[in-house]
Amino acid sequence: MWHLIDEAVGRLWNNELVAFPTETVYGLGAHAAKPEAVAKIFSIKGRPAHHPLIVHIPGAEWMTQWATDIPPIAWDLATAFWPGPMTLILKKQPWVPGVVTGGQDTIGLRVPNHPVALGLLKAFASSGRPGRGGIAAPSANRFGRISPTTAADVLEELGHRISLILDGGSCAIGIESTIIDLSRGAPVILRPGALAAEQLTKVLGEFSASNASAQAPRVPGALVSHYAPHTPACLMPFEEILAYLDAHARQHCCILARTLPPVTRPAHIWHMMEAGPGAYARDLYGVLRHMDRRFPDLILIEQLPDTPEWAAVRDRVGRATAGRIPAATAIGGSDAGVVSAAVSCSRS
Ligand code: TXA
Ligand code: MG
């Protein structure tokens, strides 16, 4: 692996893209100070040009290279949570290319906590040329799709379009970083992630979560439908899942369950998710990918607890299912229950 880091650094300097693991999800990396390299990320992902990228840096001391007017709370958060699953939005330095920031005057910065990512970032930053130590990296998936949590997922998403994927195993966290906007006065959480609310409160005091619709154009993760499987997916309470399956016996459904099904249920594919939010998050994208590969008519996801520790998972599951109401044709046409499928799904 470590000789591949040198290879990756060379490719980044050569304006090529390199996929690498982080503790959250795999990233698709480019030399962040080179607009022509960063532009490739947008074309390969099919990502709209105005969606800003996160610049990954090897340590908090690199913040001043990229950001200006850094408030004291940024240093406190960096001390508490970096390396880790936290992205800070700060005022950008004037030199930072607009292609990285989607034309905005702010920049997202993160120090990931994964040995391969940190090894790559440190080697890149100390490779002797004035690179300012930043690797721009969105999640290594096509725009709007499920983020990859293994090297094989990256291969499935983008494999034929990129020349190097560093394999660092499965991502320990499995959903994207918490994004905290410090550029507009009081801190605002733009995207919930693995950092628990009470951890954040210890450093931030009171803080607010974003109004997702107000952020929609700026934050792809805040689009209503994002992180989505190919298969239509619905979120339902357990009892509704059972009723749905009874009414649609001929459909091929996959269920992401938290409750054990009764033994008499017909043979749909039940996947029992882990009980806690951390393990659920770690497995979520992989399970959705796995289900997609079986080409079911529908993925049914059992509703999640309405407690703060489930906020990030609820956010991702909500976006994987939003706007995914199955059309009659999508779930097998003649089944008499198709209309009620649409009703059940739209209710949740
Ligand atoms: O965990 C993660 O954050 C992963 C790993 C690879 O680090 N990255 C990731 O990148 O999720 P991406 O591009 O899929 O999502 C980054 C989010 C986007 O929603 C983007 O709009 C937001 O960060 N973002 C980046 N810069 C921003 C800025 N200046 N203002 C507001 N949002 C910003
Ligand atoms: Mg993404």
Side-chain angles (χ1 to χ4, degrees):
M1 169 54 69
W2 300 110
H3 70 280
L4 279 178
I5 296 249
D6 291 337
E7 176 67 30
V9 168
R11 289 185 191 221
L12 289 170
W13 276 100
N14 204 24
N15 292 346
E16 289 176 48
L17 304 189
V18 172
F20 62 95
T22 80
E23 79 281 34
T24 58
V25 300
Y26 273 69
L28 178 62
H31 191 316
K34 294 219 211 173
E36 60 275 39
V38 173
K40 288 185 183 170
I41 290 179
F42 289 86
S43 65
I44 286 182
K45 277 189 61 116
R47 181 176 172 115
H50 61 278
H51 287 288
L53 301 171
I54 295 172
V55 173
H56 296 70
I57 50 176
E61 66 278 16
W62 292 82
M63 260 201 290
T64 51
Q65 291 280 328
W66 296 85
T68 181
D69 301 335
I70 301 172
I73 191 73
W75 297 105
D76 296 342
L77 286 165
T79 304
F81 301 121
W82 276 349
M86 175 185 74
T87 296
L88 297 181
I89 307 295
L90 298 160
K91 289 276 180 226
K92 79 174 183 74
Q93 286 280 3
W95 72 268
V96 174
V99 64
V100 176
T101 63
Q104 301 188 56
D105 64 352
T106 54
I107 183 160
L109 295 175
R110 174 161 115 82
V111 181
N113 186 16
H114 188 290
V116 174
L118 282 175
L120 176 65
L121 284 161
K122 285 178 183 157
F124 179 68
S126 63
S127 57
R129 286 169 280 186
R132 304 196 196 243
I135 299 179
S139 50
N141 50 280
R142 281 165 290 142
F143 184 67
R145 300 264 308 120
I146 304 168
S147 299
T149 54
T150 65
D153 295 344
V154 180
L155 201 61
E156 182 180 87
E157 284 284 321
L158 306 169
H160 59 294
R161 311 199 67 186
I162 53 177
S163 64
L164 183 61
I165 302 170
L166 299 178
D167 187 346
S170 295
C171 300
I173 290 178
I175 57 172
E176 304 78 359
S177 59
T178 303
I179 301 181
I180 306 174
D181 189 352
L182 300 176
S183 71
R184 297 181 285 177
V188 177
I189 309 293
L190 297 184
R191 179 173 74 182
L195 296 183
E198 71 254 25
Q199 286 176 282
L200 285 170
T201 311
K202 275 190 199 144
V203 182
L204 287 178
E206 287 303 305
F207 61 89
S208 60
S210 78
N211 171 349
S213 61
Q215 296 302 326
R218 295 178 58 192
V219 188
L223 295 176
V224 173
S225 177
H226 205 67
Y227 315 112
H230 290 296
T231 311
C234 298
L235 189 61
M236 288 183 194
F238 185 68
E239 290 308 320
E240 275 187 38
I241 290 179
L242 297 185
Y244 182 91
L245 296 177
D246 283 342
H248 302 85
R250 284 185 297 147
Q251 277 182 20
H252 171 29
C253 295
C254 288
I255 302 104
L256 253 82
R258 302 188 62 246
T259 312
L260 269 177
V263 282
T264 54
R265 249 344 94 179
H268 295 284
I269 297 168
W270 289 82
H271 186 99
M272 283 304 295
M273 298 297 286
E274 295 281 344
Y280 191 111
R282 183 196 63 209
D283 295 347
L284 174 64
Y285 291 156
V287 171
L288 287 174
R289 274 178 193 282
H290 182 67
M291 290 184 166
D292 249 354
R293 280 186 213 111
R294 292 168 171 257
F295 300 107
D297 296 311
L298 192 58
I299 296 173
L300 300 171
I301 305 179
E302 184 177 347
Q303 216 152 45
L304 301 164
D306 195 19
T307 52
E309 62 271 25
W310 284 87
V313 173
R314 273 201 314 273
D315 173 76
R316 301 316 190 276
V317 165
R319 293 179 205 289
T321 53
R324 311 281 297 168
I325 300 163
T329 47
I331 54 172
S334 63
D335 194 325
V338 163
V339 174
S340 76
V343 172
S344 305
C345 292
S346 61
R347 243 199 337 255
S348 51

